[in-house]
Amino acid sequence: MNKKMKHEMSNMNNHDYSESPEEKEISMWKKRLTWGWILTIPIIILMYVLPFVFDVMIFSKESMIWLSLLFAFPVIFIVGFSTLKSGFRGFISFYFNMDSLIGLGTFAAYFTGFLSLFFGFQDYSGISAMIMSIFVTGKYIEAKARGRAGQEIRKLLELGAKNARVIRGKEEIEIPILEVKVGDIIVVKPGEKIPTDGVVVKGESSVDESMVTGESLPTDKNKGSNVIGATINQDGILYIKATKVGSDTFLAHIVNLVEEAQGSKVPIQKLADKITNIFVPSVLGLAILTFIGWSIFGNFSSAFGASIAVLVISCPCALGLATPIALTVGSGMGAKRGILIRKGEAIQTMKNVKVIVFDKTGTITKGKPEVTNIGVSKEVKEKAFLEIAGSLEKLSEHPLSRAIVIYSNLRNYKPVKNFKVLRGRGIEGNILGKKYLIGNRRLMDENKVSLKGFIKKIENLENDGKTVMILSSEKNKKVLGIIAVADSIKEDSVKALEYLHKKGYYTVMITGDNERTAEAIAKEVGIKKVIANVLPEDKSEKVKELQAKNGENVSFVGDGINDAPALKQANVGVAMGTGTDIAIEAGDIVLTNGSLMGVCQAIELSKATFSKIKQNLFWAFAYNIVAIPLAVGGVLHPVFAEIAMALSSITVVTNANLLRRAKI
Amino acid sequence: MKKKITIDGMYCASCATNIERSLKKISGVESVAVSMMTRKAIVEINDKVKISDEDLKKAVSRAGYKTISIE
């Protein structure tokens, strides 16, 4: 197979990447507007430019009407065919839409041409072509601007690699991404995109994950590291085993999530939606009343003029688009920065938030604790002490346990019997017939272990913000030794909290640690209120208490894995994590780059987006409230009515695109 | 159960509300969110009720639009 054929084959498999629906819509309107104006411009020249500007009348009045009927016919019935069809179907099925208004308006206007020939009414047939042409032009501009609004999401979709180089037998072959299966070994050269989610089996490199997580610094990858599809391999060759393909990948999840969020409702749009629902039938009714009114108090010519103006000036689109378009731009901007807005509602709720509760481990701190100090009693040697501690902790999956296991660095673990995890306290187990306890002070208190001889040291370590684990033997209720573990603070936690305090937010830290350790950490980052000694399952209860005290304005920031109930209980739940290491289904807002600065950005983005929504709704309401009565009053010529209508929806979409200027 | 319907021919916001109204008429449909931005309808269906893709398609075409895909 030659190269060209191969290329074509892969293109065939990737038919998804051909013309997008947005592009299709834009080129559709473009075609219509081109033909619309080709036929409408001669009408304008013959009917307006020549007689009014140059005072030239080439044809008699009657032939002029025939000519405009002739030229307008294809504009209304060919260029406007689908508009008319969709509009008139509304009259049969009672699902009226925008097209019902434009369809009826242009059809009625065209029809006046015949009435004019036989009854001498004013002829609006030329006008009908102008209305249709302006309408499709407005739609074209709107579609383009709408396309721009969704550009970030489309870019996310296009981010994925199209081909992958996999190892089959002893050969490396390039296959389309759709044919990659879980378990395939993929070779990724420097500068190439990683085709799908996987785990590194050979090689070392750094990978630029900014397009997916918003994290600007490249991440180092070596054997065992997880990699995300669509990120870019920087400097080494990586051999990757595919772990997820197709719609299971992280990128696919993100795109799906953002798309769902864009379809979600923001409470403020409720009124606009209700109005949009009854808008078209109401305007139809109003147009009939306008026609009747003008027929009685004026004449048929003005009745036609005014009611056509009413039909074409009314714009449900501006109302209906106001919120979704701003939400789309806002969520796209967020996605680019590693902020995923999962529910539109969060944007509105965010502005009421006054209290922000942070989980400590993994949110304020790095969540990777390390052993810093060891203290043993006279009865044991450090080596024996670590042997017991390491063997016990080996069986637990707690991050603190992992730190101790790594530190103890044992070659052989002692067999442990009757192992038990005591949630929020520690663990217990038997080694060589002796029962040991290892855990926090609460565990020791509950088992009446005396901390004599260690209490001063423990308190000092806790004052430094370290978590102290105590090992004791059950039998003599004595402390064998202590291990201090510290979880260092993320680089930008201090900066982020400073920013939030400056903006007047009340911050709270919640943790399973004891007060002393928690206070020390809180002091380091500047948090004033600490809720310590909280068991994981009680976090949501604490959020509820804060809500009872401060009102429904509490946000919770946590890792999304252990904190899911608290995230749900909070008015705005912010889940954060790094890369794929995150539960993206938890929380109203998800931060993928693991930095607390993301919380500040998410707040700014929500506020900016919500104020855009408010502006848009204001314009859309104001426009219809002012424009419709003017049309009813017969003040507006139908052509200007249509121009105003087109401009109103273009304004709303363009205004939403201006959101990108906000500093976030 | 959640279904995602990709729809063609949705060019204005009142179209979105029409499709929403039509899909909501199917009994067993709990919530509908139609976005003209993504050209998709997300339909939440009660797990106890069986609604075929054909029913969903019919509801979309009743409002005057075309279904491209359902997933």
Side-chain angles (χ1 to χ4, degrees):
Chain A
M1 203 188 302
N2 65 33
K3 221 175 181 177
K4 195 174 164 241
M5 265 176 77
K6 234 186 211 169
H7 183 73
E8 275 170 4
M9 288 272 296
S10 71
N11 270 349
M12 267 162 59
N13 280 308
N14 289 320
H15 54 85
D16 281 348
Y17 297 99
S18 64
E19 206 180 28
S20 70
E22 286 81 11
E23 287 163 342
K24 234 186 263 168
E25 190 191 333
I26 291 169
S27 62
M28 175 191 94
W29 291 119
K30 194 174 178 179
K31 208 167 111 195
R32 290 185 190 170
L33 90 86
T34 314
W35 281 107
W37 286 113
I38 286 176
L39 295 158
T40 306
I41 287 171
I43 300 179
I44 297 175
I45 293 173
L46 279 176
M47 288 180 66
Y48 297 96
V49 181
L50 291 182
F52 293 115
V53 182
F54 300 105
D55 209 13
V56 180
M57 285 285 275
I58 305 177
F59 305 105
S60 71
K61 200 176 164 226
E62 202 186 296
S63 1
M64 280 287 282
I65 295 170
W66 278 114
L67 265 176
S68 82
L69 279 170
L70 183 71
F71 276 100
F73 183 84
V75 180
I76 307 299
F77 296 99
I78 298 175
V79 172
F81 178 73
S82 71
T83 306
L84 244 55
K85 195 176 119 193
S86 130
F88 284 111
R89 194 170 32 208
F91 289 96
I92 299 161
S93 62
F94 286 97
Y95 283 98
F96 296 107
N97 60 22
M98 175 89 212
D99 293 339
S100 312
L101 299 177
I102 298 294
L104 185 62
T106 50
F107 186 78
Y110 184 79
F111 192 64
T112 58
F114 295 107
L115 293 177
S116 165
L117 283 173
F118 300 114
F119 303 106
F121 296 161
Q122 195 178 335
D123 165 34
Y124 289 103
S125 62
I127 302 289
S128 75
M130 287 165 72
I131 292 174
M132 187 56 89
S133 295
I134 297 166
F135 172 70
V136 293
T137 308
K139 275 289 172 190
Y140 168 72
I141 299 170
E142 186 201 305
K144 273 195 113 166
R146 257 193 285 126
R148 217 164 34 245
Q151 68 187 16
E152 281 95 352
I153 303 309
R154 222 167 21 258
K155 274 188 195 143
L156 265 181
L157 266 171
E158 288 160 4
L159 218 54
K162 294 174 179 53
N163 295 306
R165 203 177 299 113
V166 299
I167 296 180
R168 289 277 154 89
K170 275 183 185 157
E171 243 186 314
E172 278 180 22
I173 56 163
E174 196 163 319
I175 58 170
I177 186 70
L178 293 171
E179 289 174 20
V180 175
K181 286 191 285 291
V182 170
D184 276 343
I185 305 291
I186 305 167
V187 188
V188 189
K189 295 195 171 146
E192 285 183 347
K193 259 183 203 167
I194 294 175
T196 193
D197 293 0
V199 58
V200 176
V201 288
K202 202 169 106 188
E204 261 175 43
S205 184
S206 59
V207 172
D208 176 6
E209 298 185 331
S210 59
M211 59 295 289
V212 182
T213 66
E215 168 64 55
S216 53
L217 290 175
T219 326
D220 288 329
K221 302 285 178 188
N222 43 42
K223 198 179 165 191
S225 308
N226 288 316
V227 290
I228 309 172
T231 58
I232 296 173
N233 182 19
Q234 303 279 79
D235 36 31
I237 294 184
L238 288 174
Y239 290 78
I240 290 156
K241 191 161 106 187
T243 51
K244 281 181 183 141
V245 294
S247 60
D248 295 329
T249 61
F250 186 64
L251 183 67
H253 273 286
I254 289 189
V255 170
N256 199 15
L257 194 140
V258 175
E259 265 190 2
E260 271 185 33
Q262 289 181 345
S264 70
K265 301 271 185 223
V266 183
I268 194 175
Q269 84 189 92
K270 252 189 204 141
L271 179 64
D273 276 354
K274 263 190 199 147
I275 293 176
T276 315
N277 264 327
I278 55 158
F279 192 88
V280 179
S282 314
V283 170
L284 288 171
L286 193 64
I288 293 169
L289 290 178
T290 306
F291 187 85
I292 296 171
W294 277 98
S295 310
I296 297 169
F297 300 106
N299 54 46
F300 278 122
S301 293
S302 51
F304 270 110
S307 49
I308 291 166
V310 170
L311 288 173
V312 300
I313 206 167
S314 307
C315 184
C317 274
L319 272 176
L321 266 178
T323 309
I325 191 85
L327 184 60
T328 299
V329 177
S331 63
M333 286 169 69
K336 213 166 133 188
R337 291 165 174 77
I339 303 162
L340 307 177
I341 296 164
R342 281 196 60 228
K343 292 190 183 121
E345 202 181 337
I347 281 177
Q348 184 165 351
T349 320
M350 191 58 115
K351 73 175 198 330
N352 304 326
V353 166
K354 299 226 159 50
V355 180
I356 307 178
V357 185
F358 293 92
D359 179 46
K360 193 202 87 174
T361 309
T363 304
I364 292 176
T365 65
K366 286 182 180 154
K368 286 188 184 122
E370 284 168 7
V371 172
T372 55
N373 309 70
I374 297 276
V376 291
S377 75
K378 287 175 197 124
E379 287 152 50
V380 284
K381 291 246 162 61
E382 193 174 306
K383 197 176 159 230
F385 167 74
L386 283 176
E387 231 167 38
I388 299 168
S391 300
L392 284 166
E393 297 287 12
K394 176 77 179 150
L395 300 172
S396 160
E397 276 164 11
H398 198 279
L400 290 178
S401 307
R402 221 174 304 143
I404 294 172
V405 173
I406 290 167
Y407 185 83
S408 66
N409 195 22
L410 299 179
R411 222 173 267 164
N412 300 307
Y413 294 95
K414 294 205 179 290
V416 178
K417 279 184 187 153
N418 300 330
F419 174 80
K420 218 158 110 192
V421 173
L422 310 159
R423 258 177 93 79
R425 295 170 182 83
I427 51 180
E428 61 172 41
N430 290 15
I431 294 176
L432 298 171
K434 265 188 171 171
K435 187 174 175 190
Y436 294 99
L437 296 165
I438 182 162
N440 57 17
R441 278 214 235 179
R442 185 196 286 219
L443 180 67
M444 299 304 138
D445 290 345
E446 281 173 8
N447 287 280
K448 303 198 171 55
V449 175
S450 152
L451 297 179
K452 221 180 118 203
F454 282 92
I455 190 77
K456 193 83 204 135
K457 197 163 182 190
I458 292 172
E459 280 176 4
N460 282 340
L461 288 166
E462 285 176 352
N463 283 335
D464 288 343
K466 289 166 183 170
T467 308
V468 181
M469 308 284 275
I470 307 155
L471 175 70
S472 72
S473 74
E474 233 258 316
K475 212 171 138 206
N476 56 16
K477 307 269 182 206
K478 264 191 179 167
V479 176
L480 292 173
I482 57 171
I483 305 173
V485 178
D487 183 5
S488 51
I489 289 167
K490 284 181 192 165
E491 279 83 13
D492 43 15
S493 288
V494 177
K495 200 173 132 202
L497 282 157
E498 229 167 56
Y499 175 90
L500 294 174
H501 289 143
K502 213 163 70 196
K503 293 268 166 178
Y505 288 99
Y506 181 64
T507 56
V508 179
M509 186 177 90
I510 200 163
T511 173
D513 279 344
N514 64 61
E515 271 105 16
R516 225 185 301 270
T517 309
E519 288 287 355
I521 298 276
K523 214 170 145 192
E524 209 176 319
V525 291
I527 288 185
K528 291 190 186 68
K529 167 89 178 157
V530 171
I531 306 176
N533 289 318
V534 182
L535 295 173
E537 56 267 36
D538 293 339
K539 281 180 189 165
S540 70
E541 203 51 46
K542 294 289 170 198
V543 171
K544 214 186 261 178
E545 281 168 27
L546 283 165
Q547 283 168 327
K549 215 164 81 190
N550 300 285
E552 295 293 309
N553 52 25
V554 179
S555 173
F556 183 91
V557 187
D559 64 15
I561 297 163
N562 302 312
D563 307 330
L567 287 170
K568 214 173 208 170
Q569 175 63 40
N571 300 96
V572 181
V574 182
M576 65 188 295
T578 315
T580 48
D581 206 12
I582 183 171
I584 54 174
E585 268 76 29
D588 306 309
I589 293 176
V590 180
L591 306 175
T592 57
N593 65 10
S595 158
L596 269 195
M597 283 311 284
V599 177
C600 310
Q601 287 179 307
I603 290 172
E604 292 304 324
L605 179 68
S606 302
K607 281 188 177 165
T609 308
F610 190 67
S611 77
K612 262 295 166 238
I613 291 175
K614 277 204 296 200
Q615 277 174 23
N616 269 352
L617 284 173
F618 171 79
W619 284 118
F621 273 112
Y623 165 79
N624 280 304
I625 289 168
V626 173
I628 296 175
L630 286 178
V632 172
V635 184
L636 279 173
H637 186 276
V639 168
F640 291 107
E642 179 54 35
I643 291 173
M645 196 287 282
L647 284 178
S648 80
S649 56
I650 293 167
T651 308
V652 163
V653 183
T654 310
N655 187 38
N657 274 321
L658 287 180
L659 179 57
R660 288 204 181 76
R661 289 200 185 161
K663 274 205 190 107
I664 282 146
Chain B
M1 198 184 21
K2 214 185 236 172
K3 291 255 176 166
K4 198 160 140 197
I5 313 172
T6 309
I7 296 162
D8 190 30
M10 199 181 353
Y11 302 127
C12 73
S14 52
C15 305
T17 56
N18 275 343
I19 296 168
E20 236 170 71
R21 192 153 61 95
S22 181
L23 283 166
K24 269 185 191 151
K25 278 190 185 157
I26 306 175
S27 73
V29 167
E30 285 181 343
S31 78
V32 184
V34 182
S35 160
M36 77 163 301
M37 293 304 302
T38 57
R39 295 152 205 272
K40 278 177 187 133
I42 292 167
V43 186
E44 200 84 57
I45 299 167
N46 190 326
D47 288 326
K48 287 173 203 140
V49 185
K50 234 187 118 46
I51 296 173
S52 70
D53 286 359
E54 222 31 66
D55 295 334
L56 296 174
K57 257 185 210 169
K58 246 185 244 160
V60 172
S61 74
R62 184 168 54 207
Y65 306 90
K66 217 173 89 194
T67 303
I68 292 177
S69 68
I70 299 179
E71 36 183 313

